[in-house]
Amino acid sequence: MEHRLLEVVGHWSWHVLATIIHVEGSSYQKEGTCMLFGENGTQMGILSGGCLEEDLAAKADDIWHTKTTTVVIYDLTQEDDFSWGHVGCNGTIHVLLQPLIPSFRTHLLAAKTYLERGEHVVFARLMEESQIKQPWLFITESGRTFGELVEIHDELIPILQTAPPFSMANGICTIRERSIYVHHFWPKPRLILFGANPDARPLASFAHQLGFRVIVADWRPAYADAQYFPFAEIMLGFPKDIIPTLSLHDRDFVVVMTHHFPRDQEILALLRDKPLYYLGVLGSKARTARLFDGHIPSDVRSPVGLSIRARSPEEIAISIVAEMIQALRKGGKG
């Protein structure tokens, strides 16, 4: 969702960015969840099950006119008619409301540019009682910085460098005895599908809808056709030619589903020792064991997908994207 928000943040109809920065107890969403508020009541994203958005929209309108960043606290623990607790979430939620003033908007769009290059970006904002014009800082994986909160630059570097892939360790921390909100922006996870058979089409579509950057690789022109994968990048060629060009890394998802046994063997041999985040092989465990000469490595998902007794291509695709989301949230292999 962050990528979709950043894709539209350049449009001037969006005025205020709302972010959950701290949660005590249970809540519908966690730290780092964002939402945009704009003119004429327009909204993008969701912070609760629809419980807080109307109140936030009203506050966002005031924020835009005063150009004042602030934090709103919703106590959902008291279950009476005069509190927010009647929604039943049983937690306390702190929401940061930031007006998209030109300098902040420019830095968000710069962060988007680095995300599109595949870089991890960390954002930090000073949190103090006086919230007016508090400084912020962005640091990219390649070392680019923009913002005014430069005094915490050295402390943010290890936070950026040591975060596990796709870690959502967002929240308030203390740096140099100052209260700082830290937010991780991750590039879209990349899903490479080896095999463009008809059953790959729903998987590519679902993955795209969930925010993955999808690449479909196949050596058969009749299958690897953009008309079947309108939201994916098509790579036509043999695995030995394609895989070296992919620059595979430890944030990549790969699913092997060519339905061609010798080709699957070739692909898996070429993928051996690549630092992938997720590797799944379509087919039975017995078939996958044959692909690996009898022993399936522990980091290979086989059969790929959660066990939901899926039958149709669409159900199989759902089981695979569900397992990918599970890996994304839990931390990768295994």
Side-chain angles (χ1 to χ4, degrees):
M1 177 56 75
E2 282 181 350
H3 295 277
R4 295 175 188 172
L5 292 176
L6 290 177
E7 285 170 1
V8 303
V9 80
H11 300 294
W12 287 98
S13 59
W14 299 104
H15 296 330
V16 175
L17 176 67
T19 307
I20 296 177
I21 61 171
H22 182 62
V23 174
E24 300 168 17
S26 61
S27 66
Y28 184 81
Q29 299 277 23
K30 299 300 181 184
E31 290 88 348
T33 306
C34 299
M35 182 174 183
L36 282 172
F37 291 92
E39 62 185 5
N40 301 321
T42 53
Q43 301 177 11
M44 184 175 184
I46 188 169
L47 298 187
S48 73
C51 313
L52 310 179
E53 281 71 12
E54 183 176 354
D55 186 70
L56 282 168
K59 288 181 169 59
D61 192 52
D62 293 335
I63 292 296
W64 176 244
H65 287 100
T66 61
K67 303 298 187 289
T68 303
T69 298
T70 193
V71 174
V72 182
I73 301 174
Y74 294 96
D75 185 351
L76 311 181
T77 61
Q78 302 299 316
E79 299 181 357
D80 57 63
D81 293 336
F82 303 99
S83 70
W84 290 99
H86 66 274
V87 304
C89 292
N90 198 33
T92 301
I93 301 172
H94 300 237
V95 180
L96 174 66
L97 294 172
Q98 303 174 87
L100 293 176
I101 59 175
S103 57
F104 187 45
R105 187 186 300 266
T106 296
H107 288 163
L108 284 172
L109 292 175
K112 173 178 174 287
T113 299
Y114 284 92
L115 289 170
E116 289 172 345
R117 296 176 186 174
E119 292 193 32
H120 171 204
V121 180
V122 166
F123 164 75
R125 182 155 197 155
L126 180 63
M127 306 296 298
E128 292 184 349
E129 289 185 8
S130 174
Q131 294 295 323
I132 300 176
K133 296 182 180 178
Q134 290 296 348
W136 59 79
L137 187 69
F138 288 85
I139 300 182
T140 74
E141 200 167 358
S142 59
R144 178 81 168 87
T145 64
F146 33 98
E148 300 176 352
L149 194 59
V150 293
E151 63 266 29
I152 67 166
H153 174 275
D154 292 346
E155 286 78 8
L156 275 185
I157 291 295
I159 293 176
L160 173 76
Q161 294 177 339
T162 62
F166 305 114
S167 167
M168 298 304 291
N170 306 311
I172 299 174
C173 60
T174 300
I175 300 177
R176 293 196 176 191
E177 300 182 350
R178 307 187 81 174
S179 181
I180 307 291
Y181 172 66
V182 175
H183 187 107
H184 293 266
F185 290 95
W186 291 96
K188 285 185 178 183
R190 194 168 63 154
L191 169 62
I192 299 102
L193 295 180
F194 286 100
N197 303 67
D199 59 347
R201 299 171 194 172
L203 177 54
S205 176
F206 293 156
H208 166 75
Q209 292 177 59
L210 291 170
F212 285 81
R213 174 190 168 193
V214 181
I215 298 173
V216 176
D218 204 298
W219 68 98
R220 298 163 292 190
Y223 287 162
D225 192 314
Q227 67 175 315
Y228 302 130
F229 301 95
F231 304 112
E233 302 167 45
I234 305 295
M235 299 189 73
L236 180 62
F238 292 100
K240 64 181 178 61
D241 300 317
I242 289 176
I243 290 176
T245 70
L246 287 170
S247 300
L248 293 165
H249 54 73
D250 64 356
R251 295 205 288 260
D252 282 332
F253 290 67
V254 173
V255 176
V256 179
M257 52 188 310
T258 73
H259 298 277
H260 188 285
F261 191 87
R263 196 67 71 199
D264 283 357
Q265 278 187 316
E266 177 189 0
I267 293 167
L268 292 170
L270 291 166
L271 293 177
R272 190 171 297 153
D273 301 325
K274 298 292 184 184
L276 302 175
Y277 190 85
Y278 174 103
L279 175 58
V281 181
L282 187 70
S284 69
K285 191 175 289 292
R287 181 184 186 273
T288 303
R290 288 170 53 216
L291 288 169
F292 284 100
D293 296 325
H295 177 70
I296 303 174
S298 60
D299 59 350
V300 173
R301 313 277 179 148
S302 175
V304 66
L306 297 182
S307 179
I308 60 171
R309 298 186 179 183
R311 294 183 179 180
S312 68
E314 290 76 15
E315 290 177 352
I316 293 170
I318 288 171
S319 76
I320 295 172
V321 294
E323 186 177 60
M324 287 163 48
I325 292 169
Q326 184 184 67
L328 199 64
R329 302 293 180 255
K330 293 176 66 174
K333 299 179 180 181

